[in-house]
Amino acid sequence: MQNVALYGVLPDVVHKGGDGKVVPRCRIKPLSAKHVVIEGRDIDVQTFLKVYRQRVHGLRFICDKNVRRSEFEGRVVLTLKIASSGEVENVQIKSTTIAENSPFSAINEDVKESVSHWKFPKTKNGATFSFPISFYGELPQPSMFDDSSSIKNK
């Protein structure tokens, strides 16, 4: 049986590793306008959040590939300079709770690299944004689309 996604949204399903164990799934706490600091007004916070929300799945993928346990929690605060062309001119890690020598340290650079490829609308002067990305691990719950669920397909 195939899973069917309505409107392109596939529900969360239980992910299993090669050994058959349930693998934690990374989550990102929602970002709101009150958590975003702006320098320059050529790009408003709503436009920034629209691009962020379109790209947040890539950030979650970065966390998923680096985290294999549910008790993970980490926060990376980025400063992102956007040129008038809409391209990201510079990305800096302002602060992070993910230690350099931790097993998760690759998340910092992977996030920085990913964000450096984001595209924004063209503007007159560009803008600079500072914003947090807060990751946390969660064990997925079985769904009706998972074979291990108590709901069986007829």
Side-chain angles (χ1 to χ4, degrees):
M1 179 175 167
Q2 281 185 310
N3 293 339
V4 177
L6 300 176
Y7 306 107
V9 178
L10 187 64
D12 289 334
V13 295
V14 173
H15 298 280
K16 294 186 180 181
D19 57 2
K21 293 182 181 178
V22 174
V23 175
R25 178 151 185 149
C26 228
R27 299 285 183 211
I28 297 177
K29 292 181 183 174
L31 183 63
S32 67
K34 68 181 180 180
H35 297 110
V36 179
V37 177
I38 309 168
E39 285 180 38
R41 294 286 177 196
D42 270 6
I43 301 173
D44 67 11
V45 71
Q46 293 308 320
T47 301
F48 173 81
L49 288 172
K50 181 179 177 184
V51 172
Y52 174 87
R53 289 180 186 125
Q54 291 170 343
R55 302 297 192 144
V56 76
H57 299 295
L59 299 175
R60 189 167 72 183
F61 173 78
I62 289 168
C63 184
D64 278 339
K65 79 175 187 175
N66 286 289
V67 174
R68 293 288 178 235
R69 43 182 228 220
S70 61
E71 64 272 5
F72 172 76
E73 218 173 291
R75 185 172 194 243
V76 180
V77 179
L78 298 175
T79 299
L80 178 67
K81 184 173 183 182
I82 303 165
S84 60
S85 66
E87 294 188 17
V88 175
E89 194 172 281
N90 189 6
V91 180
Q92 296 295 318
I93 296 175
K94 190 173 181 178
S95 65
T96 182
T97 61
I98 304 169
E100 244 181 71
N101 57 356
S102 81
F104 314 115
S105 62
I107 291 173
N108 291 326
E109 288 303 315
D110 287 353
V111 164
K112 185 177 170 183
E113 174 66 22
S114 177
V115 170
S116 72
H117 297 288
W118 290 3
K119 302 281 187 236
F120 292 84
K122 292 181 180 180
T123 66
K124 186 176 179 180
N125 298 314
T128 301
F129 293 89
S130 291
F131 61 100
I133 302 170
S134 298
F135 299 99
Y136 63 100
E138 174 181 277
L139 284 175
Q141 299 299 313
S143 76
M144 62 186 239
F145 298 102
D146 181 22
D147 290 338
S148 66
S149 172
S150 60
I151 299 174
K152 298 292 180 191
N153 296 321
K154 294 183 179 183

